[in-house]
């Protein structure tokens, strides 16, 4: 398993020192004072924040974009291993009470994920969490942190302070379901508590007790929510409390809320200067154009779709239709840079360079080899449209096509893929993306964050 939206949940108190100036601080406080959970019979609506937004409740450190690309590549490498079923293990040692179980590679959530908030326990406390479409198990750090906890924004969950908390035993159905959710086997403690292990491609991991407690969104609550209570949490998790998974697995947030809300969720991934949303259960009918979810035996939990064409300034790029389906393609909220089959990427790069012939070129930047001097906001950027099976099309804005890697360099936000193509979050930003799992389709709508 690994982290994909991934999205981060909001946690008080707010650290005012993280904001750069007074005007921004006032704006952020206004957003937080206005922010409310919206819940009705059709679903729950939460606010999302970009991980590097000045208003993020758990802002990530200012990292060079080259570091972000390194972590992005690690995530993609794990997807490749996962889909080839070549996920190796290596030993990891825990306390005697937790037992010793193997660790598998995955991907960290240090740079690519978005934020919102949930409540857990009775009484409920709010926690900052990563929300990830590429992972299933939900977990957060728990006291007493018997091995290790990373620094997080706000208090660490205390099981003893919640009247509705309980551990899952080794004989429960959720314990048996762990391996399909995490790609790691469960273990059993001396006290018959089920032990989970979630591990990621850069060596980050969380290990602890599988548990149940009440999940809440404002005044609405869902009892017996299954999650991991992490006792050993190490790696690049930023200042988040843990992970919320939205993949296609019975232990994911989506499937656990499905009896009440249905198997549908949507989101709009915001830029660093705006806020977006995560909506579970509720949709706006007639707003979306759809592409089928593609079944793939390589991994039943990921969201597969199929590319059919890409156009630059209204003209299809010069590549065969077979090239688009030469690799399996997934949509992922946690991958920053979209990966395309090599022939498709090469044709797209050439077409964009030709369309921007007047823009001065810049040297390659890390894995990005089509770069220009300037920024996406100052250059005349080629219009790129991506079309999927069934006709669903996203017409990309300049910020979806190019990504600023330094103050003076911007690059095409696409890269060639080796064994799996991925529609990443740069291309998804500002679109409303609907995952209609019940009807096996994915929808796209423009101006989704408004």
């Amino acid at each position: 398993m690994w982290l994909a939206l991934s999205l981060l949940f909001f946690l008080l108190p707010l650290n005012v020192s993280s904001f750069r100036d007074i005007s921004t601080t006032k704006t952020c406080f206004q957003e937080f004072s206005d922010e409310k959970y919206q819940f009705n019979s059709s679903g729950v609506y939460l606010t999302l924040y970009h991980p590097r937004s000045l208003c993020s409740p758990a802002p990530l450190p200012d990292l060079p974009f080259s570091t972000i690309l390194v972590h992005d590549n690690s995530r993609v490498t794990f997807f490749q291993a996962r889909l080839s079923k070549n996920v190796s293990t290596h030993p990891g040692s825990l306390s005697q009470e937790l037992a010793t179980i193997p660790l598998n590679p995955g991907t960290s959530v240090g740079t690519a994920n978005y934020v919102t908030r949930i409540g857990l326990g009775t009484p409920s406390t709010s926690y900052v969490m990563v929300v990830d479409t590429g992972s299933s198990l939900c977990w957060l750090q728990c006291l007493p942190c018997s091995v290790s906890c990373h620094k997080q924004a706000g208090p660490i969950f205390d099981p003893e302070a919640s009247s509705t908390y309980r551990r899952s035993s080794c004989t429960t159905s959720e314990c048996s379901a762990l391996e399909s959710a995490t790609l790691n086997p469960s273990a059993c403690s001396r006290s018959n508590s089920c032990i989970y292990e979630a591990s990621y491609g850069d060596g980050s991991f969380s290990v602890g007790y599988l548990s149940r407690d009440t999940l809440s969104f404002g005044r609405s609550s869902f009892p017996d929510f299954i999650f991991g209570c992490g006792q050993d949490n190490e790696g690049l998790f930023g200042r988040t409390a843990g992970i919320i998974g939205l993949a296609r697995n019975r232990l994911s947030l989506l499937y656990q809320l499905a009896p009440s809300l249905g198997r549908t969720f949507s989101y709009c991934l915001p830029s660093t200067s705006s806020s977006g949303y995560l909506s579970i259960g509720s949709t706006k009918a007639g707003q979306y154009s759809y592409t089928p979810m593609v079944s793939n035996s390589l991994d039943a939990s990921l969201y597969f779709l199929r590319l059919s064409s890409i156009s630059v300034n209204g003209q299809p790029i010069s590549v065969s239709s077979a090239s688009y389906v030469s690799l399996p393609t997934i949509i992922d909220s946690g991958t920053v840079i979209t990966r395309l089959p090599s022939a498709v990427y090469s044709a797209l790069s050439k077409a964009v360079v030709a369309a921007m012939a007047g823009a001065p070129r810049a040297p390659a930047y890390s894995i990005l080899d089509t770069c220009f001097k300037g920024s996406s906001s100052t250059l005349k950027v080629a219009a790129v449209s991506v079309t999927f099976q069934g006709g669903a099309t996203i017409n990309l804005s300049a910020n979806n096509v190019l990504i600023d890697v330094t103050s003076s360099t911007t690059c095409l936000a696409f890269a060639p893929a080796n064994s799996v193509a991925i529609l990443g979050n740069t291309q998804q930003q500002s679109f409303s993306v609907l995952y209609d799992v019940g009807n096996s389709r994915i929808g796209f709508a423009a101006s989704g964050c408004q």
Side-chain angles (χ1 to χ4, degrees):
M1 143 181 191
W2 72 279
L3 308 180
L5 230 125
S6 341
L7 317 172
L8 262 177
F9 283 108
F10 171 73
L11 175 62
L12 296 174
L14 183 65
N15 182 3
V16 178
S17 65
S18 66
F19 302 120
R20 294 181 182 173
D21 54 48
I22 296 299
S23 62
T24 301
T25 302
K26 289 180 178 178
T27 299
C28 291
F29 272 120
Q30 185 63 43
E31 284 195 39
F32 293 140
S33 64
D34 291 344
E35 180 183 44
K36 290 180 170 57
Y37 293 113
Q38 297 179 30
F39 181 86
N40 55 38
S41 59
S42 64
V44 61
Y45 183 96
L46 308 171
T47 303
L48 296 180
Y49 294 93
H50 191 283
R52 287 177 286 133
S53 167
L54 296 179
C55 291
S56 170
L60 292 166
D62 226 0
L63 298 173
F65 198 76
S66 57
T67 301
I68 293 176
L69 291 179
V70 168
H71 293 304
D72 206 44
N73 242 15
S74 297
R75 183 180 187 94
V76 173
T77 298
F78 175 69
F79 272 132
Q80 294 170 349
R82 179 170 169 177
L83 296 180
S84 68
K85 304 300 182 182
N86 184 28
V87 182
S88 60
T89 62
H90 58 87
S93 59
L94 311 172
S95 69
Q96 289 185 348
E97 169 65 8
L98 286 178
T100 300
I101 50 182
L103 297 178
N104 293 333
T107 297
S108 94
V109 297
T111 57
N113 304 280
Y114 291 76
V115 303
T116 191
R117 62 180 173 182
I118 62 165
L120 189 67
T122 305
S124 177
T125 302
S126 185
Y127 298 96
V128 178
M129 304 284 289
V130 173
V131 179
D132 182 12
T133 58
S135 63
S136 299
L137 182 69
C138 308
W139 65 266
L140 81 170
Q141 299 195 117
C142 288
L143 295 176
C145 294
S146 59
V147 181
S148 176
C149 278
H150 60 266
K151 185 178 180 180
Q152 73 174 56
I156 295 174
F157 179 74
D158 183 0
E160 293 189 1
S162 174
S163 62
T164 48
Y165 172 84
R166 69 182 189 274
R167 289 184 187 176
S168 297
S169 73
C170 300
T171 57
T172 57
S173 60
E174 60 261 30
C175 189
S176 300
L178 268 178
E179 187 162 6
S180 68
T182 65
L183 306 183
N184 296 316
S186 61
C188 199
S189 75
R190 293 173 179 171
S191 58
N192 196 38
S193 295
C194 181
I195 297 172
Y196 77 91
E197 179 239 335
S199 53
Y200 308 97
D202 62 350
S204 300
F205 62 87
S206 173
V207 181
Y209 300 110
L210 195 63
S211 307
R212 287 177 179 255
D213 208 333
T214 297
L215 176 71
S216 59
F217 303 104
R219 296 181 179 179
S220 302
S221 61
F222 300 85
D224 291 325
F225 179 70
I226 301 166
F227 67 101
C229 196
Q231 298 297 310
D232 188 8
N233 316 284
E234 302 180 39
L236 300 175
F237 297 114
R239 297 181 63 220
T240 69
I243 308 298
I244 289 291
L246 284 169
R248 302 169 76 176
N249 183 276
R250 60 162 291 194
L251 294 187
S252 76
L253 176 71
L254 173 66
Y255 277 66
Q256 290 195 60
L257 299 187
S260 300
L261 304 178
R263 288 189 296 163
T264 300
F265 71 95
S266 63
Y267 58 68
C268 183
L269 305 183
S271 67
T272 57
S273 60
S274 64
S275 62
Y277 67 83
L278 168 66
S279 179
I280 304 173
S282 60
T283 61
K284 296 178 181 179
Q287 184 180 8
Y288 298 90
S289 59
Y290 292 96
T291 184
M293 287 183 187
V294 178
S295 298
N296 195 306
S297 60
L298 295 174
D299 194 315
S301 67
L302 297 177
Y303 296 101
F304 290 85
L305 38 63
R306 186 165 293 160
L307 286 169
S308 62
S309 68
I310 297 178
S311 296
V312 175
N313 286 350
Q315 297 298 315
I317 60 175
S318 181
V319 67
S320 70
S321 58
S323 297
Y324 289 104
V325 295
S326 60
L327 296 177
T329 301
I330 62 173
I331 179 172
D332 177 36
S333 60
T335 300
V336 177
I337 302 298
T338 285
R339 268 55 172 197
L340 296 173
S342 294
V344 177
Y345 170 75
S346 179
L348 173 63
S349 174
K350 290 177 181 177
V352 169
V353 168
M356 297 178 60
R361 294 295 304 275
Y365 186 93
S366 183
I367 63 171
L368 305 179
D369 62 13
T370 305
C371 299
F372 304 89
K373 294 178 181 179
S375 69
S376 60
S377 62
T378 59
L379 293 173
K380 186 177 181 180
V381 182
V384 176
S385 298
V386 180
T387 300
F388 303 91
Q389 180 185 14
T393 299
I394 52 176
N395 298 312
L396 304 181
S397 70
N399 290 331
N400 300 125
V401 176
L402 300 182
I403 190 163
D404 295 338
V405 298
T406 71
S407 60
S408 60
T409 302
T410 188
C411 298
L412 184 64
F414 296 80
N418 293 322
S419 57
V420 56
I422 304 172
L423 180 66
N425 61 35
T426 299
Q427 285 64 41
Q428 296 178 57
Q429 279 185 18
S430 80
F431 291 94
S432 181
V433 184
L434 170 66
Y435 294 72
D436 185 356
V437 180
N439 292 307
S440 296
R441 59 183 184 171
I442 296 174
F444 298 94
S447 302
C449 292
Q450 297 180 358

